Amino acid sequence: MEFSKKFYESILNGMLDLVRVIDIDGVVVFCNTKMKEEFGDQTGKKCYELFCKDSRCEDCIAIRSIRENTRFMKYTHYKDKTYYVISSPVCGQDGKVVGTVEVFRDITEQKKIEERLRRQNEILRRDLEFAKRLQQSLLPVIPRIEGYRITYTYKPCERLGGDFLDVINIDDKIVFYVADVAGHGLLASMVTIFVKQSIIKNAHTYINSSAQEIIKGVLLDFIEMNFPSEIYITVVLGILEKQSGKVTMISAGHVTEPILVKANKKVKMFSMRGQPIASIDLEQGFEMKETILEKNDKLIFYSDGLIESKNKQGEMYGKKRLIKRILSIKNINTELLIRDVRNFVSDIDDDIAVLMVEKI
């Protein structure tokens, strides 16, 4: 038994944690080397004397551990340090509890790190909330335009989204677009602000030139901003001539095809080639397509989240289902389209932006 006692004491003395053994009466019968170095030798003292108290703590885990024969844990503070304490019952040869072993682990630095992270997360949360309000404030207020109805629905999957859209009324023309910034979160949302400002600037500059000049201007602005190389933007943009109903469309790497729904329910999709707005000019150019909006025609721009969202079985919503829904809903609108996607997937994991121009 003597060998056994010394053997266990040598193990406890070799531990980096602070260890003490308390008997059934709450008296400290052993302290390991680390405990003595930190608090002095507590042997023979009541367990609560360590914290300069004259009676047991209200949440004494040593007593609970002895009474209930199970392990208990808590945090405790002493002077400027925080400890994580584990109290485990000790049984004699007859199986009865004769005391408890308490292990004190100094987690002061860990707690400081956690507090710094908590404060940083709180600052980030406030920043994200501000950025969210800023982004939402930049969503367009659609002007009343005689002969046309323009509607949109924007649903970010997170607090902040990488999709964006806008409608710009310039004299006898309307510029409208849906853009998708790679990624989500704060950086993507800040890039959407750049997109809005750059397209507004270039639209006013090149409205009488061509849609290509507008997109080229945005590309040059993007390169000058020196964004991280992993950031890029896809855009589908249209210019509507109010008088004639003519729409010129252009795509900068946008994977979704604009959908024209004619008054007689015939559907046409426009596929256009074009490089994304990225940190280098690939000199691939941008393809344009044209169409004429007639009475009750609808032109729909959308981001890939609308068709690439998947249900629990991994099935994608897809273009075919989108077209089917467009044709089956009598008075189709952007909100109904997104609602149908939500019913299909239950949990949307990408941003969705839908914009519809209708001649009335």
Side-chain angles (χ1 to χ4, degrees), residues 151-155 163-166 176-180 234-238 249-251 253-261 267-272 298-309 316-323 326 333-334 337-338 341 350-357:
T151 57
Y152 71 87
T153 302
Y154 172 66
K155 299 291 183 184
D163 288 1
F164 199 72
L165 51 81
D166 202 0
F176 55 97
Y177 67 87
V178 170
D180 186 354
T234 67
V235 183
V236 59
L237 179 142
M249 295 168 286
I250 190 168
S251 176
H254 208 68
V255 298
T256 64
E257 301 165 330
I259 301 172
L260 175 64
V261 185
V267 173
K268 183 177 181 180
M269 303 184 77
F270 299 89
S271 178
M272 295 170 284
K298 300 177 179 69
L299 182 62
I300 303 171
F301 283 10
Y302 55 100
S303 61
D304 57 8
L306 186 68
I307 58 173
E308 294 182 358
S309 296
M316 194 177 292
Y317 187 81
K319 293 180 183 178
K320 289 183 178 180
R321 185 174 280 104
L322 174 62
I323 297 300
I326 288 173
N333 60 56
T334 57
L337 286 177
I338 291 183
V341 174
D350 196 2
D351 307 324
I352 298 180
V354 186
L355 186 149
M356 185 168 73
V357 179

Side-chain angles (χ1 to χ4, degrees), residues 17 47 65 260 337:
D17 294 322
C47 61
S65 176
L260 175 64
L337 286 177

Side-chain angles (χ1 to χ4, degrees), residues 261-263 265 296 298 324-333 336 356 358:
V261 185
K262 300 293 290 182
K265 288 293 185 178
N296 296 325
K298 300 177 179 69
K324 184 178 179 180
R325 295 304 292 156
I326 288 173
L327 295 177
S328 65
I329 299 174
K330 185 176 181 180
N331 296 310
I332 188 67
N333 60 56
L336 286 176
M356 185 168 73
E358 179 182 6

Side-chain angles (χ1 to χ4, degrees), residues 185-198:
L186 186 59
L187 178 56
S189 73
M190 292 299 99
V191 177
T192 64
I193 297 174
F194 157 80
V195 173
K196 179 182 177 74
Q197 298 305 320
S198 180

